[in-house]
Amino acid sequence: MERRFASIAVLLLVLGYARANAHKPITSKYTFNQDVLPIFHGRCGTCHIDGGIAPMSLMTYRDAYPWAESIRSEILSGHMPPGDASGLVRHPASLSARELDTVLTWATGGTPEGAAPTGSAAPTVHSEWPLGPPDLTLTLPQVTLAAGELETTRVFVLRARSLAGRTIRAIDLLPGMPAIVRRAVVSVRSPAPPRDGSAHEPVIALWLPGADAARTPDGTAFALPEGSEIVARLSYKKTWKYENHEASDQSVLGVYLSDESARTIDRISLSAGPVTLEDDEDAIAVRVDVGRADVALTVHATLPDGSRTVIVSLATQPEWPRRFWLRRALSLPRGTRLEATLQGSDPADRDRTGIAVDVMPARRRAAVR
Amino acid sequence: MIAFLLAVVLQLPPLSWTCPMHPEVVEEAAGVCPICRMTLEPVRLDTIWSCPVHSVVGQRQPGRCPICRRDLVQVTMAITWSCPDDPTVRAEPTRCGDGSAAVERYAPRPHGNHNPQHGGAFFMAPDNWHHLEGAYPRAGIFRVYLYDDYSKPLARDEVRRATGRVLLNSQEVPFAANVDGAYLEAHIPPASFPLSLTAMVRFPTANEFRFDFSFTTYSDDAPSPTTAAPFTAPVTTAGTPTTTLVHELHERAARIASAVDRRAYSEIWVPALEAKDLALAVEARAASREGVSAAVKEIVRAAWMLDQWGDLGDAQQIADAHTRFTAAVAQLDVALR
């Protein structure tokens, strides 16, 4: 017996690895560890991570491969990553054509694992300020979801006297328990009526898990007039992991201040229809918060010379109200017509509530006190 | 260790680990099933030549079915070894008690076989479990055969509980199970070839699904099944000029359009996947041009949709995906101008 296995051992040296791998119909040349994980890490890792807001992590092969069919369906339909948009906006979570192809090839081609990376354990969510330490922090009250309570929304009104009359470049949120903090909308409730005559409170920050935190462009800021209040509306939602557990969060708002000569940012709401600008403005962002899903939305500007620019084009996702920052401020001369069009056969699809363009005056102006 | 050496020497496919309850779970190491936590069992998977109808037939080389003389087709099967005197099923070949070699056995896997069994058109159902085949054996008779996830015919009482109807020329003809419960049959008005019709079928315990068929001739119940052309990636060497790549892309688009027109849905996936590879190669060369990346992404998306819906045979979904694909190719043309 021993002699026989000794000769087999010799043969092993000669033959090397046996045959092409036919153990699963693997047609994908991309493997998880080599090709797919870097994509998941870069595009999906803020939410689909242990302790993150998503119902499952995608950060290891064991976590990700059972979801291959779901992943295929969600990215093919464009539902994931959320906030895919084209036009002049920044969209860092958006998959490129090649990334889309890599993940689809892997998911439909047998989900091969590939050589496991050496060393590092699975990443977990980490809480740190993406824009660096804020100039001022405001700690919100603790919110507890009881066992069996799945979601809630709380509105906090903050009177920060030290901020009165200041200008703000960004407000960011650091969740205490990222797994349950779903959305935060931070707006300014000012004593004076808003510039464009709308009744809404101007939104300074629209925070989502995984969304791109950003300061306003250089030399611009949001105004916080004397007597204003900061209103933070937080939405909490549990995934299946925490359904029967009590879960508590204490989030912190971080405020990034600006110098006094910043240009203030105004919001032009398109909910009542197209708006024609009365002054020269620079468009810096578009906010989208619509109730209907999968409606093709385009926000465009028609300049006085007749030329038309598409600012943003996307399919609506009501679960993901979002502010899209433009890659570069867009100059819009006086007389430009801003419009949002929604394509849908159902009249309800064309409800424009919740579409706004953030602009700042093209000429420098003293900050509002 | 010995088993490993043996496997290497005898060139066996590597060990896979599968769940006895969830055969779609196939892992590379022992452990538990991610769905139900049962202990995984070892199995070796390989491509075996089998009869599209008689899955008990299995052999290592192509040939004809000894039962019905059909050409054998390639299916994925699990290989095990056993001896008459010992019921243990092994994942390696061994010697039996009487010195003879253990007998090699092949067992089918779910979705291992998408070959038509009655000469018709074979589709998977969108519930990712059932399969279905539509056949037109003679004038006025349209039959639908229902299968499970192993492409085995559903039991008679299941077939009798299935319902459906045929939509043809704005007429609706209901299905009725035949006496055996072997298939659902509809008597449709005879029409000339090519004959296009839509079948709406509700499997027991599932929703109603749509399948579109086009027949250019009568379905022959014992034909030699054609094997699909192997998918070969188009040549995209660094030296190929962008104009050639775009020309090749348009050629694939034409083939897809022809397949969609003729409802030859099994012919869509190869040119669709080739088209998206060509588009990606164009992007690698021309990404700096405005609009190219967005157009290529849309082509990639639409091509994968065509691949998916082509497998399921729903004409409406295929038409929608095809519209997206055509628009995306036009978008790329504009961007490259």
Side-chain angles (χ1 to χ4, degrees):
Chain A
M1 264 321 220
E2 277 80 26
R3 213 173 305 147
R4 192 217 208 130
F5 289 119
S7 60
I8 287 174
V10 169
L11 274 171
L12 170 61
L13 293 172
V14 172
L15 286 174
Y17 179 62
R19 59 157 73 236
N21 190 356
H23 91 270
K24 186 152 66 164
I26 292 182
T27 53
S28 165
K29 63 185 177 196
Y30 302 119
T31 66
F32 180 82
N33 284 309
Q34 291 285 85
D35 308 290
V36 175
L37 180 59
I39 298 171
F40 284 171
H41 214 268
R43 306 290 193 195
C44 322
T46 41
C47 297
H48 286 275
I49 190 168
D50 265 333
I53 191 73
M56 71 294 216
S57 166
L58 296 177
M59 296 292 102
T60 67
Y61 182 69
R62 285 265 175 276
D63 288 327
Y65 93 90
W67 296 96
E69 175 56 27
S70 248
I71 292 168
R72 184 199 61 79
S73 166
E74 289 289 284
I75 66 171
L76 190 59
S77 62
H79 289 154
M80 282 283 147
D84 198 16
S86 60
L88 304 177
V89 298
R90 288 189 347 214
H91 40 107
S94 210
L95 294 169
S96 70
R98 192 158 285 281
E99 288 169 342
L100 182 66
D101 183 57
T102 301
V103 180
L104 288 171
T105 303
W106 173 80
T108 56
T111 63
E113 180 172 4
T118 51
S120 52
T124 54
V125 69
H126 56 269
S127 261
E128 55 188 42
W129 296 105
L131 297 175
D135 298 314
L136 178 73
T137 57
L138 304 165
T139 305
L140 299 175
Q142 183 176 79
V143 173
T144 302
L145 287 168
E149 185 185 0
L150 292 182
E151 52 187 306
T152 189
T153 302
R154 298 291 166 84
V155 180
F156 304 110
V157 180
L158 308 157
R159 284 172 203 79
R161 285 189 198 81
S162 53
L163 289 178
R166 300 296 303 273
T167 49
I168 296 173
R169 290 199 66 184
I171 293 185
D172 202 0
L173 183 88
L174 203 64
M177 186 177 179
I180 61 169
V181 182
R182 184 67 179 75
R183 182 184 313 132
V185 182
V186 183
S187 49
V188 173
R189 186 180 289 163
S190 86
R195 187 172 172 265
D196 60 9
S198 71
H200 291 279
E201 302 160 351
V203 169
I204 291 188
L206 217 167
W207 181 91
L208 291 167
D212 173 35
R215 283 186 178 81
T216 57
D218 284 337
T220 65
F222 290 104
L224 196 66
E226 289 278 358
S228 310
E229 294 166 328
I230 291 180
V231 179
R233 187 187 181 86
L234 266 74
S235 304
Y236 299 90
K237 189 171 180 177
K238 285 180 184 167
T239 59
W240 63 271
K241 280 198 186 98
Y242 302 99
E243 260 173 22
N244 296 318
H245 302 279
E246 185 182 276
S248 288
D249 172 76
Q250 182 154 44
S251 292
V252 178
L253 288 179
V255 184
Y256 298 82
L257 298 170
S258 175
D259 60 49
E260 295 167 13
S261 59
R263 282 182 276 168
T264 60
I265 295 171
D266 293 316
R267 186 177 142 275
I268 294 182
S269 167
L270 298 178
S271 52
V275 169
T276 302
L277 300 179
E278 292 164 6
D279 290 302
D280 295 343
E281 308 275 6
D282 288 335
I284 56 170
V286 178
R287 193 155 66 84
V288 178
D289 182 0
V290 293
R292 304 275 294 192
D294 289 323
V295 178
L297 162 69
T298 307
V299 175
H300 48 102
T302 309
L303 273 58
D305 66 8
S307 63
R308 190 171 172 274
T309 307
V310 170
I311 300 175
V312 70
S313 174
L314 50 81
T316 57
Q317 291 183 286
E319 282 289 288
W320 301 93
R322 182 183 294 268
R323 166 183 279 140
F324 294 92
W325 293 96
L326 269 60
R327 287 195 294 268
R328 275 178 306 276
L330 177 69
S331 289
L332 302 173
R334 172 178 159 176
T336 298
R337 191 177 134 104
L338 285 171
E339 191 169 359
T341 53
L342 290 138
Q343 268 175 320
S345 45
D346 194 320
D349 284 349
R350 291 187 220 113
D351 176 13
R352 288 182 190 74
T353 322
I355 302 173
V357 179
D358 291 321
V359 295
M360 60 194 185
R363 279 187 336 268
R364 281 188 166 268
R365 229 168 50 192
V368 175
R369 287 243 173 233
Chain B
M1 178 59 183
I2 291 164
F4 169 71
L5 287 175
L6 209 58
V8 168
V9 166
L10 298 174
Q11 308 241 4
L12 298 176
L15 264 186
S16 306
W17 296 82
T18 187
C19 173
M21 279 294 294
H22 300 102
E24 69 273 22
V25 169
V26 178
E27 299 230 31
E28 286 171 6
V32 295
C33 174
I35 300 172
C36 70
R37 323 304 295 170
M38 281 180 75
T39 308
L40 300 178
E41 295 173 351
V43 70
R44 292 189 195 273
L45 297 177
D46 206 349
T47 311
I48 300 292
W49 293 91
S50 177
C51 174
V53 174
H54 304 106
S55 65
V56 66
V57 171
Q59 57 190 54
R60 291 289 194 165
Q61 59 284 343
R64 284 194 173 272
C65 174
I67 302 171
C68 67
R69 310 307 303 159
R70 277 184 176 82
D71 279 339
L72 299 185
V73 293
Q74 288 184 302
V75 298
T76 303
M77 291 202 164
I79 309 173
T80 53
W81 290 263
S82 62
C83 295
D85 61 352
D86 179 358
T88 319
V89 169
R90 297 176 197 287
E92 281 79 37
T94 56
R95 292 257 161 224
C96 301
D98 63 357
S100 60
V103 180
E104 206 170 85
R105 295 245 169 273
Y106 311 116
R109 303 292 302 166
H111 300 289
N113 180 2
H114 276 201
N115 297 291
Q117 302 177 16
H118 297 273
F122 190 95
F123 293 121
M124 188 171 72
D127 66 1
N128 256 331
W129 197 88
H130 289 97
H131 296 83
L132 167 151
E133 180 180 351
Y136 189 59
R138 58 181 189 279
I141 301 288
F142 175 66
R143 285 181 188 153
V144 152
Y145 297 85
L146 308 182
Y147 305 107
D148 66 10
D149 55 338
Y150 281 79
S151 306
K152 295 258 139 296
L154 289 186
R156 291 172 193 191
D157 59 347
E158 299 249 317
V159 175
R160 290 193 187 106
R161 285 189 355 243
T163 58
R165 56 201 199 280
V166 179
L167 309 173
L168 167 65
N169 299 332
S170 63
Q171 281 188 336
E172 214 174 273
V173 180
F175 279 116
N178 84 324
V179 267
D180 288 346
Y183 49 77
L184 299 176
E185 188 172 278
H187 292 227
I188 58 176
S192 55
F193 291 117
L195 169 65
S196 294
L197 52 81
T198 299
M200 305 296 295
V201 177
R202 181 191 300 276
F203 295 91
T205 73
N207 297 327
E208 191 179 56
F209 300 125
R210 169 180 171 162
F211 303 92
D212 293 283
F213 296 94
S214 180
F215 298 102
T216 53
T217 180
Y218 292 115
S219 305
D220 184 356
D221 212 330
S224 300
T226 52
T227 45
F231 169 50
T232 51
V235 172
T236 51
T237 62
T240 314
T242 309
T243 44
T244 308
L245 295 174
V246 174
H247 174 80
E248 294 278 316
L249 173 62
H250 279 277
E251 195 268 324
R252 297 316 186 277
R255 277 167 51 190
I256 294 168
S258 160
V260 172
D261 264 341
R262 288 177 291 116
R263 292 190 162 197
Y265 298 141
S266 58
E267 291 176 29
I268 289 177
W269 69 281
V270 171
L273 296 183
E274 290 179 346
K276 61 96 181 160
D277 279 343
L278 287 159
L280 286 168
V282 168
E283 190 198 26
R285 287 159 178 70
S288 53
R289 289 167 75 162
E290 183 82 40
V292 167
S293 288
V296 169
K297 183 170 175 181
E298 195 46 31
I299 290 176
V300 169
R301 201 189 288 281
W304 279 103
M305 283 180 174
L306 281 167
D307 169 61
Q308 173 195 344
W309 296 120
D311 210 19
L312 296 176
D314 181 328
Q316 187 57 56
Q317 302 280 22
I318 291 169
D320 288 346
H322 189 224
T323 305
R324 277 185 88 134
F325 178 80
T326 321
V329 173
Q331 201 182 328
L332 183 62
D333 284 338
V334 166
L336 288 173
R337 216 176 281 153

